[in-house]
Amino acid sequence: MTPVQEDHRPRLLLVDDEPTNLQVLRHILQEDFRLLFATDGARALQIAQQQRPDLVLLDVMMPQMDGYGVCQALKADRTTANIPVIFVTALTEAQDEARGFDVGGVDYITKPVSAPVVRARVRTHLSLVRTEELRETRLQIVQRLGRAAEYKDNETGMHVIRMSHFAHVLALALGHSPAWAEDLLNAAPMHDVGKIGIPDAVLRKPGPLDAGEWDTMRRHPQIGAEIIGEHPAGLLRLAHSIALTHHEKWDGSGYPQGLAGEAIPVESRIVALADVFDALTARRPYKEPWSIEDTLAHLRAQAGKHFDPGMVEVFIAQLPRLLEIQARWAD
């Protein structure tokens, strides 16, 4: 028996109260896409909720509920809010196009339609959706690897969340772009992922580590970098860099490479401050939390030794925001 071949082509919902317009779009798109049809707004919303199309091509001028109303309803429903909507309409005024974007449309095609234009616009927006899905999937993988490291360590998940937000605040205060700071926020939880490769006898030892055990523990940055792998740009490049170099120190006394000063990547200099601040001010089974005063005194004393001296005062100046983060994600 021949197996039934599944149709994995993207699914489009075409909405127009004029059947002839739907026929035109059908002829343009049927070879490359699976098509759903609706001739009124209410039916379009029903199909969108039941079938979850990958994209909607939507007429504006329809009886009862016009295209703007349909788009607003789609965007108000969390189950359909992320479906891109392209308006296809005879309305050509600039204010009509602007309104389409205001209610959540991603593009605006005027009638009579051009087949190459329709195909190109549809493919472009489906590609953008796919890119966003890949970005979100990559982010989730990074977050789950960070959680895997937490299961191996004595640190709490709240520590990872707090230090990541501290790093985000400092990055913005230093003048980095919001996009870079957001990537840093999501990469920072991966800083200790290499502890997955450290034996529990060393990682969970209640007393001080001996020299051999410290040698083993100091391998976790390299292990973390190997787990994440090398990447040319973006979130995973940051995660790799942070995992490898977050234990380097400004004066060159850190590990694993003994980097010094600005040879240490800026993302790791930021994470080092954020990590130590939270470690000192948090309660652990083996220690009471330090006071804010003692913690800030330690950061200042370590400026130019452990920490980038140009970052320390900028970090301390963000103290009100840091305390808000502490309160929100308390242990």
Side-chain angles (χ1 to χ4, degrees):
M1 182 176 178
T2 304
V4 176
Q5 294 293 318
E6 287 192 50
D7 189 345
H8 294 291
R9 293 177 301 166
R11 187 181 345 224
L12 309 184
L13 172 57
L14 313 182
V15 187
D16 198 304
D17 63 318
E18 290 290 339
T20 53
N21 292 333
L22 293 177
Q23 282 289 85
V24 170
L25 291 174
R26 182 177 69 82
H27 285 300
I28 293 171
L29 298 166
Q30 63 184 349
E31 288 188 11
D32 299 316
F33 305 99
R34 291 175 291 166
L35 303 180
L36 304 167
F37 301 93
T39 56
D40 62 77
R43 180 60 179 154
L45 293 175
Q46 183 182 36
I47 292 173
Q49 290 167 344
Q50 293 172 347
Q51 302 290 325
R52 305 288 174 81
D54 297 289
L55 183 143
V56 178
L57 286 162
L58 180 60
D59 184 31
V60 172
M61 294 184 292
M62 297 186 294
Q64 282 85 49
M65 180 185 293
D66 66 14
Y68 299 133
V70 173
C71 188
Q72 286 176 312
L74 288 171
K75 299 305 170 184
D77 184 338
R78 64 179 182 82
T79 65
T80 58
N82 292 326
I83 301 172
V85 175
I86 299 177
F87 286 105
V88 183
T89 178
L91 298 175
T92 59
E93 296 297 324
Q95 61 265 31
D96 298 315
E97 187 171 348
R99 187 180 176 194
F101 290 121
D102 287 342
V103 298
V106 297
D107 211 337
Y108 199 93
I109 301 173
T110 56
K111 298 175 182 176
V113 298
S114 159
V117 167
V118 171
R119 293 192 196 99
R121 301 283 182 86
V122 167
R123 289 194 181 106
T124 294
H125 290 290
L126 289 175
S127 176
L128 291 173
V129 169
R130 180 61 176 157
T131 299
E132 178 59 25
E133 288 175 348
L134 289 171
R135 190 199 70 82
E136 182 62 27
T137 299
R138 188 163 55 243
L139 174 57
Q140 289 180 12
I141 290 170
V142 167
Q143 291 170 338
R144 279 156 177 72
L145 275 172
R147 290 204 65 188
E150 291 169 29
Y151 281 103
K152 285 279 289 183
D153 201 358
N154 290 322
E155 300 284 11
T156 69
M158 292 299 103
H159 162 72
V160 172
I161 292 172
R162 287 191 301 265
M163 62 82 66
S164 301
H165 282 275
F166 295 155
H168 181 255
V169 167
L170 178 54
L172 292 175
L174 290 168
H176 293 282
S177 72
W180 190 88
E182 186 74 14
D183 277 349
L184 181 66
L185 171 71
N186 291 306
M190 294 284 284
H191 68 296
D192 274 339
V193 71
K195 288 183 177 179
I196 291 173
I198 303 301
D200 286 351
V202 174
L203 196 61
R204 297 179 178 273
K205 184 177 178 179
L209 301 180
D210 63 31
E213 290 165 340
W214 263 118
D215 286 343
T216 299
M217 179 66 84
R218 285 155 66 101
R219 292 179 52 235
H220 81 267
Q222 185 64 48
I223 294 171
E226 290 170 0
I227 289 171
I228 296 167
E230 295 191 22
H231 304 270
L235 174 61
L236 289 175
R237 189 207 67 79
L238 277 181
H240 175 274
S241 174
I242 291 165
L244 181 61
T245 61
H246 69 284
H247 280 296
E248 303 289 353
K249 294 184 179 181
W250 185 261
D251 64 5
S253 65
Y255 64 91
Q257 297 171 304
L259 300 178
E262 293 186 356
I264 304 168
V266 64
E267 55 268 19
S268 295
R269 286 179 266 147
I270 292 171
V271 166
L273 261 171
D275 193 23
V276 170
F277 178 81
D278 191 71
L280 294 178
T281 56
R283 177 176 279 102
R284 292 290 178 267
Y286 52 85
K287 65 174 274 294
E288 289 298 310
W290 286 29
S291 69
I292 293 297
E293 293 75 15
D294 288 345
T295 300
L296 299 187
H298 176 78
L299 298 186
R300 288 188 169 112
Q302 289 297 311
K305 298 176 184 177
H306 189 162
F307 307 119
D308 180 339
M311 288 186 181
V312 171
E313 290 303 326
V314 177
F315 185 73
I316 291 173
Q318 311 312 309
L319 186 61
R321 182 73 185 103
L322 305 181
L323 296 178
E324 289 175 9
I325 291 167
Q326 273 192 335
R328 180 174 180 184
W329 283 289
D331 288 325

